[in-house]
Amino acid sequence: EAFARERDCNEIHGPLGFTDLDREGMLVEGFEEKSLFFTYYNAPYYKEHLERLGYAKDVDWIELNVHRTEENTKTADLLARLSARALKRHNLHIVTVKRNREFTPYIERAFALVNRAYAPLYGVVPLDEVQIRHYAKKFVPMIDPALACLVEDEAGELIAFGASVRSLSDAFRKTGGRLFPFGFIPTLHALSHGKEINLLLIAVDPAYQGTGVNAVIINHILENAWRVGVMCAETGPQLELNDKVIDQWKIFPSRQHKRRRCFIKQLADGESAKKEN
């Protein structure tokens, strides 16, 4: 706080990442739940500690757990119909990708789409070329092509995509987070045989939002996931104000099981604080 006041800042908020793809948000609900490998875990007392120091809620992210059950059958049928209708109505098609290296031509377009789709959301700043290369190198090798979806229009423009990865949480817990000397074995096994998936990212061009295109992505990923024996899907943190993303899960039997918070605290005016000192 002293550091901020010295620079004439009037508020502090966080925890936040440098971009929306970094870890962000302090865990405030769901301490007993399994943490995703790309999110923070913290002890329950952190929340009370910050509140005693004068910090209050600025915004929350929520996470949901979707289980494969017999109830999914009717939902799957509905989702398949919505997907087929959206593809036909807008002359769209799903890009077939069989190997990770086939994602390469789409990486730049996918992240450009993220910049457009996420621009109105809280705390989002556009990714530059260096950041795009960093996140592509970090996440693309882990993605199973069958658990991703690229959607193009009739002109071949990428208008939507979604990406997921098999959960690495149990493997990392088993290996203590170490890949070597033998930790890579359960990690590689989890990437190809895990029964849980983590939904990393979904982005739809603003011109197609609200047209059912998100159903195409979810249908494609979950249909393939259920086919290979995946029993559970977990969303990453979703901004609680992002109704377009959260509403898409309402047709599923799901459970909101974790919540993360960005705190904020108003500071005294920087100049007046200096004078008082």
Side-chain angles (χ1 to χ4, degrees), residues 10-274:
N10 55 25
E11 65 184 27
I12 292 180
H13 68 155
L16 289 169
F18 287 103
T19 81
D20 198 50
L21 299 185
D22 291 322
R23 291 180 174 91
E24 54 189 358
M26 180 180 291
L27 190 66
V28 295
E29 292 178 12
F31 300 101
E32 72 285 358
E33 303 286 347
K34 185 191 305 181
S35 214
L36 304 184
F37 72 93
F38 53 88
T39 58
Y40 284 128
Y41 183 85
N42 56 264
Y45 77 85
Y46 278 38
K47 174 178 176 290
E48 287 73 20
H49 178 68
L50 277 186
E51 289 173 344
R52 285 196 298 269
L53 293 174
Y55 289 82
K57 172 185 172 180
D58 194 14
V59 72
D60 282 0
W61 292 265
I62 61 173
E63 298 175 42
L64 294 97
N65 181 288
V66 182
H67 277 278
R68 183 182 180 185
T69 66
E70 292 182 3
E71 298 174 31
N72 287 131
T73 305
K74 291 183 179 179
T75 299
D77 291 341
L78 172 62
L79 196 61
R81 291 197 301 272
L82 292 173
S83 172
R85 187 183 307 165
L87 289 170
K88 183 177 181 180
R89 180 183 299 169
H90 303 290
N91 295 316
L92 307 173
H93 62 272
I94 296 174
V95 178
T96 301
V97 177
K98 295 182 179 180
R99 298 176 180 84
N100 286 78
R101 63 174 177 266
E102 294 176 18
F103 283 122
T104 302
Y106 296 96
I107 289 172
E108 187 174 329
R109 287 191 281 166
F111 281 104
L113 184 58
V114 168
N115 282 343
R116 296 198 301 276
Y118 284 58
L121 299 180
Y122 176 92
V124 172
V125 294
L127 299 169
D128 60 28
E129 292 182 6
V130 175
Q131 291 169 323
I132 288 173
R133 288 196 297 271
H134 168 75
Y135 293 113
K137 183 179 180 180
K138 181 177 181 180
F139 289 113
V140 171
M142 295 187 293
I143 296 173
D144 183 339
L147 303 177
C149 183
L150 301 167
V151 184
E152 290 182 336
D153 63 15
E154 55 187 341
E157 294 294 326
L158 186 69
I159 61 94
F161 83 95
S164 63
V165 62
R166 299 205 195 215
S167 175
L168 296 174
S169 298
D170 287 338
F172 284 175
R173 182 181 296 174
K174 183 177 181 179
T175 65
R178 293 183 292 272
L179 285 178
F180 302 104
F182 303 112
F184 69 93
I185 297 174
T187 301
L188 289 177
H189 184 271
L191 280 173
S192 56
H193 295 86
K195 298 302 181 183
E196 300 179 15
I197 61 170
N198 298 154
L199 305 171
L200 293 177
L201 194 63
I202 183 171
V204 178
D205 189 284
Y208 286 89
Q209 291 178 6
T211 65
V213 174
N214 60 321
V216 176
I217 298 169
I218 296 171
N219 179 65
H220 182 81
I221 292 176
L222 291 187
E223 191 177 66
N224 286 340
W226 298 157
R227 186 182 296 119
V228 297
V230 169
M231 301 302 296
C232 173
E234 288 207 36
T235 71
Q238 302 169 116
L239 191 66
E240 64 177 351
L241 306 175
N242 192 355
D243 295 334
K244 292 177 181 177
V245 169
I246 294 174
D247 287 349
Q248 68 190 0
W249 300 111
K250 289 184 177 179
I251 64 173
F252 288 95
S254 60
R255 178 174 66 100
Q256 190 258 299
H257 62 315
K258 281 178 278 187
R259 179 180 294 270
R260 300 177 185 279
R261 179 159 298 167
C262 177
F263 291 86
I264 191 167
K265 180 177 181 179
Q266 302 297 323
L267 301 177
D269 178 76
E271 287 301 322
S272 63
K274 287 180 182 178

